[in-house]
Amino acid sequence: MTHDFSRRRLLTAAAACAAAGLPSLPVAAQTAPLTIGWYPGLLGSYFKRSFLDTFSGAPGAKVVESFDNARFTQMQANRSAPNLHVGVFTDVLLPLIARSGLVAQLDEKLIPNLRALDPAVKLPVGRHAVPVTYGTWGIAYNARKVGKPITGWADLLRDDLKGHVSAPNVTYNSSMYTLDALASLKGGSLREPAAGLEALHQVRTRGPGLWDQESIAVGWLKSGEIWATPYFSGNVLAMMKDPDLADLKFCVPSEGGYALPMSVARVVNPSAGQVPDAFINHMLGIEAQEAWARIGNARPVHAKAKVPAEVAAAVPTADKLRHLDWSFFAEQRAGIVDQWNKVVNR
């Protein structure tokens, strides 16, 4: 029975490599099913429908759902016996992940679709990870509640919106985009965040507070307790289809929205042979990329993949979006979090 099961895995691995145009696996190269780490909830379901359900090379694949911090912590805990083959991450942790020794450099021979990337899309940590999609960190707002449309980051501090604006707290990684944006209104940045911290303190104390979980932000938007919050474009485009959020709009701020890529990394774990490389190659192919753009409401990274009109409107090309220095953040994270708690949450 065990022999038959292993044989089926080997045949699956060989089929995956053949489908991706990769060299055949040596005998006994795969002893474990492909295991992928990405997100829970709607985002995870979008990833599954777009990338895994369109991949025929690993019908026994498993998905482990968690957010970035928990996934990386688990990878560190399992260093001697890794249980993932592929992991998806936002840029925040990638500098630490690249230096961890837990992920391998991506091999263009095994992942030929690396050559098909849109030139506007940059590799965040060299060959240690590659974006599979990106969206915009901008502002979601209720057009029925907000008399004058929101057009920029400065609008979050408008007097007519007082009491009805929120933002993510420091426990939510993408809060750093908002900090940089509000600091930049007075010439600052993530490196000089004082003005942004004070602005976020103002947002926190003038409204219901800051949110730590997306479910809180969505609940406040639905109830009308808040009218505006910084948020991810893909989530907003999906939420617009909810009858309770029919008046929701997304603003790419005039000062510039932020690129929010999600990147895939190949975990150092040989137990699934070359199937993980075949899967990453599939994720970067036109079929999966166009499926993701339709289902996940974010930009594809394949240069020839079609972009739905509503996605193109909400997500400018990567060269027109702002980017944060996540290597700096990785080095200064403890200090920035400490400043946030002393100023914003005082």
Side-chain angles (χ1 to χ4, degrees):
M1 186 66 124
T2 302
H3 177 268
D4 290 342
F5 186 44
S6 298
R7 178 177 175 78
R8 286 197 299 272
R9 284 180 178 167
L10 285 170
L11 291 174
T12 296
C17 293
L22 305 178
S24 298
L25 290 171
V27 175
Q30 185 193 21
T31 59
L34 173 67
T35 305
I36 307 153
W38 57 41
Y39 303 95
L42 277 178
L43 185 56
S45 72
Y46 295 159
F47 266 89
K48 181 179 182 299
R49 290 165 56 196
S50 305
F51 297 127
L52 188 53
D53 289 354
T54 57
F55 182 59
S56 61
K62 300 191 301 184
V63 174
V64 179
E65 295 185 342
S66 62
F67 290 103
D68 298 63
N69 292 340
R71 186 177 312 116
F72 184 40
T73 298
Q74 194 63 41
M75 286 170 60
Q76 291 171 304
N78 294 333
R79 180 180 291 271
S80 60
N83 63 352
L84 290 182
H85 300 101
V86 172
V88 178
F89 298 90
T90 54
D91 277 5
V92 177
L93 292 178
L94 283 178
L96 295 175
I97 293 168
R99 295 198 296 266
S100 70
L102 294 168
V103 297
Q105 293 206 37
L106 303 175
D107 187 340
E108 199 171 270
K109 293 179 181 177
L110 300 178
I111 308 172
N113 278 328
L114 285 168
R115 295 190 289 266
L117 284 183
D118 182 336
V121 176
K122 306 301 180 186
L123 299 180
V125 284
R127 291 287 184 179
H128 284 100
V130 60
V132 293
T133 179
Y134 64 96
T136 304
W137 186 258
I139 302 171
Y141 71 97
N142 186 324
R144 183 168 57 86
K145 299 283 188 179
V146 176
K148 178 183 175 184
I150 289 177
T151 60
W153 293 110
D155 289 339
L156 293 175
L157 305 173
R158 277 172 21 193
D159 287 340
D160 62 306
L161 302 182
K162 184 177 179 179
H164 297 287
V165 174
S166 185
N169 210 338
V170 69
T171 53
Y172 192 86
N173 285 333
S174 295
S175 60
M176 292 301 115
Y177 296 116
T178 308
L179 174 58
D180 184 84
L182 294 180
S184 70
L185 296 175
K186 293 192 175 181
S189 67
L190 190 61
R191 290 176 178 270
E192 299 179 4
L197 293 169
E198 286 295 340
L200 281 163
H201 175 71
Q202 184 177 341
V203 169
R204 185 182 74 81
T205 55
R206 287 173 56 170
L210 305 182
W211 49 270
D212 293 284
Q213 299 176 26
E214 292 181 359
S215 59
I216 296 174
V218 174
W220 283 348
L221 285 167
K222 285 188 173 185
S223 68
E225 190 161 0
I226 63 170
W227 301 344
T229 182
Y231 213 22
F232 175 57
S233 58
N235 292 29
V236 179
L237 290 176
M239 289 157 58
M240 286 177 181
K241 300 170 185 175
D242 185 332
D244 293 334
L245 292 166
D247 297 304
L248 199 65
K249 302 294 182 185
F250 182 75
C251 163
V252 179
S254 58
E255 304 94 343
Y258 288 80
L260 203 167
M262 284 175 274
S263 297
V264 63
R266 170 65 158 101
V267 179
V268 177
N269 180 358
S271 64
Q274 291 176 359
V275 175
D277 304 284
F279 179 62
I280 293 173
N281 192 62
H282 170 76
M283 294 177 82
L284 298 173
I286 288 183
E287 178 192 4
Q289 286 282 299
E290 291 186 348
W292 167 256
R294 293 190 307 271
I295 295 167
N297 301 296
R299 270 202 186 256
V301 297
H302 193 292
K304 295 183 179 179
K306 296 177 182 177
V307 185
E310 64 273 19
V311 172
V315 189
T317 53
D319 56 324
K320 294 180 173 63
L321 290 167
R322 297 164 79 168
H323 299 261
L324 290 187
D325 184 348
W326 291 115
S327 293
F328 169 80
F329 178 70
E331 295 167 1
Q332 303 297 323
R333 183 181 190 126
I336 293 171
V337 171
D338 183 59
Q339 289 181 69
W340 183 295
N341 286 324
K342 286 180 178 177
V343 178
V344 180
N345 294 332
R346 71 181 186 269

